[in-house]
Structure formats: structure tokens, C-alpha cells
């Protein structure tokens, strides 16, 4: 009997180059309510859920007049606007989706981003039809590095976690996928490929379009 396999993609940094857009939106929204955004602290929040980010900045510099939910939604709405206007696909993502579709893999998406932004991204890049299921940590008790969103995605796909391959660009995402007992491919940021930071992953890449058939065979055999 043929073993069914799945590939699951993170969204921000794997499908769309959105980190600059998130930073821009957070800076605009939080600065407007008196929070002084520091670059080194903004780097810490990059892999958090929007709810966690909002709590982080509130604890750092509490504001008055707006609820945390309202501020969080203002950030999300601005990010959505920026994605529609300026969003750009990560190089190689469409070719990689074609590759796995031709291999008859089921395809899922698992992100820490709010659920409402998923269709915005997929429609902007023009890849919505590739995905069998989509999942957001918004509906989990904890976001990545907790493995919940990956386990939920595997369950929706009806594929065993050990038969899933995950593409991630953050250490928290790689950690989440490994905790879910999935094969993990790390897209390493520039200058970090040679560091030990992403050694937890089963495979490290510097570009999505460098993923080849030989890598897939190796991942499936391990």
C-alpha cells in the first residue's frame, strides 16, 4: 500500500517576504499610542503571535485608551493592507509547490499569523488552489514553538506527523515541527547557514529553489 505524504509550509518568510511589513505595521500602530519600538526588541517579537506581540509591548510600555484587542486588530489590518499593496513572494515558492503537487503530496499551511491574513497572502501570491488545508496558531492555546498548529494540520490532512515534511524559516518554527515529529527543512536567513542555530532541522537551505529530488528521497528515507 502506498504511503501518503504531506508537505506543510510556514507562511511568513517561506511563502511571503512579510517581516518588513510586520515591522512597519507594528512601528506605526504602537508608536501612535506612545510605545517606543526598539529594533533589538522588535527582532525578539518577530516569531510571536500577534496576541503575544501586543502583550509584549504593553508590558514593556503600557498605554491607555485602547484595549489590547483593538491594538492587535489595528496591526493585523495594517499588515493586510501592506500585503495587498507591497507583498512579494519568496523566490522559488511556486516552483516548490508545483514540485510537491506533481509528487502527489497533500499540501498544508501552518502559521503563527492570524487566520484572516492567510487568504490575503495566498490570493496576493496566486497560490490558494495548491493548499488542501490551512491552519493558524490563533486557534491553539499556544503558538510556535509549541507543536500544536503542526499537529492540527497533520490531523486535518489525515497524514501521520512522521510522514510530513515542514518548510520553516525561524528557529521557533523548526522547533515546533521537530516537537511534532515531522521532517523539517530550514530556510536559513542570509549569513546563518553555517551557524549551529538551525542544526535541529533535517535539512538546511539558503534558497527554496535549491530543493531537489535527492533531498526529498533522503528525507523520506530517514
Amino acid at each position: 500500500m502506498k504511503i501518503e505524504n504531506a508537505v506543510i509550509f510556514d507562511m511568513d518568510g517561506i511563502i511571503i517576504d512579510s517581516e518588513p511589513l510586520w515591522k512597519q505595521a507594528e512601528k506605526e500602530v504602537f508608536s501612535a499610542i506612545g510605545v517606543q519600538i526598539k529594533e533589538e526588541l522588535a527582532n525578539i517579537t518577530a516569531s510571536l503571535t500577534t496576541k503575544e506581540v501586543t502583550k509584549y509591548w504593553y508590558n514593556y510600555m503600557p498605554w491607555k485608551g485602547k484595549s489590547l484587542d483593538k491594538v492587535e486588530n489595528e496591526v493585523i489590518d495594517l499588515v493586510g493592507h501592506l500585503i495587498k499593496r507591497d507583498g512579494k513572494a519568496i523566490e522559488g515558492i511556486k516552483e516548490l509547490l508545483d514540485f510537491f503537487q506533481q509528487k502527489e503530496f497533500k499540501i498544508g499551511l501552518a502559521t503563527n499569523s492570524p487566520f484572516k491574513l492567510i487568504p490575503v497572502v495566498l490570493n496576493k501570491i496566486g497560490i490558494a488552489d495548491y493548499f488542501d488545508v490551512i491552519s493558524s496558531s490563533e486557534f491553539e492555546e499556544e503558538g510556535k514553538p509549541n507543536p500544536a498548529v503542526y499537529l492540527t494540520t497533520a490531523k486535518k490532512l489525515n497524514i501521520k506527523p512522521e510522514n510530513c515534511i515542514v518548510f520553516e524559516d525561524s528557529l521557533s518554527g523548526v522547533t515546533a515541527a521537530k516537537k511534532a515529529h515531522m521532517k523539517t527543512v530550514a530556510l536559513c536567513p542570509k549569513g546563518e547557514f553555517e551557524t549551529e542555530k538551525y542544526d535541529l532541522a533535517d535539512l538546511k537551505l539558503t534558497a527554496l529553489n535549491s530543493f531537489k529530488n535527492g533531498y526529498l528521497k533522503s528525507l523520506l528515507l530517514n
Side-chain angles (χ1 to χ4, degrees):
M1 188 175 74
K2 181 182 176 182
I3 297 175
E4 283 198 301
N5 296 289
V7 60
I8 304 173
F9 293 92
D10 175 41
M11 188 170 76
D12 298 289
I14 289 292
I15 290 175
I16 189 167
D17 183 16
S18 55
E19 185 176 334
L21 308 183
W22 277 102
K23 284 187 174 181
Q24 180 182 341
E26 288 172 15
K27 188 172 183 179
E28 286 188 26
V29 172
F30 289 116
S31 295
I33 51 177
V35 179
Q36 297 175 6
I37 301 291
K38 293 185 177 180
E39 186 68 23
E40 63 271 21
L41 297 180
N43 291 334
I44 294 172
T45 66
S47 61
L48 301 179
T49 64
T50 50
K51 191 173 294 294
E52 290 168 342
V53 170
T54 308
K55 287 180 180 178
Y56 179 93
W57 288 115
Y58 182 81
N59 291 333
Y60 174 71
M61 191 172 285
W63 60 80
K64 295 179 180 179
K66 286 185 180 180
S67 69
L68 270 66
D69 284 345
K70 181 170 177 56
V71 172
E72 178 189 355
N73 283 313
E74 286 182 4
V75 172
I76 294 168
D77 288 344
L78 182 51
V79 170
H81 168 73
L82 294 172
I83 287 170
K84 289 176 182 177
R85 192 186 71 186
D86 304 323
K88 294 180 180 178
I90 296 294
E91 186 177 357
I93 185 60
K94 287 186 179 180
E95 291 80 2
L96 195 57
L97 286 164
D98 282 331
F99 174 87
F100 280 106
Q101 192 175 68
Q102 289 163 11
K103 298 288 184 183
E104 298 184 345
F105 272 57
K106 289 187 176 181
I107 300 176
L109 182 150
T111 178
N112 264 0
S113 284
F115 189 84
K116 69 186 289 186
L117 289 182
I118 297 175
V120 176
V121 169
L122 299 187
N123 290 330
K124 173 66 178 183
I125 307 302
I127 56 174
D129 291 344
Y130 284 94
F131 291 88
D132 297 297
V133 305
I134 56 176
S135 304
S136 166
S137 293
E138 177 183 353
F139 303 114
E140 309 292 348
E141 288 189 12
E142 291 183 57
K144 305 171 190 177
N146 187 289
V149 71
Y150 278 119
L151 293 171
T152 294
T153 305
K155 188 174 182 179
K156 287 180 182 178
L157 289 166
N158 196 28
I159 300 288
K160 294 178 180 179
E162 58 266 31
N163 293 333
C164 295
I165 297 172
V166 169
F167 281 79
E168 269 285 357
D169 71 309
S170 71
L171 183 57
S172 66
V174 170
T175 301
K178 293 304 293 182
K179 284 181 178 178
H181 304 292
M182 298 178 176
K183 308 292 174 54
T184 309
V185 181
L187 179 63
C188 301
K190 188 175 181 180
E192 295 191 23
F193 183 84
E194 299 297 338
T195 69
E196 297 180 356
K197 183 176 178 181
Y198 291 91
D199 284 355
L200 179 64
D202 297 283
L203 174 67
K204 297 195 295 184
L205 301 175
T206 56
L208 292 180
N209 54 19
S210 64
F211 188 83
K212 306 298 181 187
N213 200 50
Y215 290 145
L216 176 59
K217 289 181 179 179
S218 177
L219 289 167
L220 293 178
L221 287 173
N222 289 336

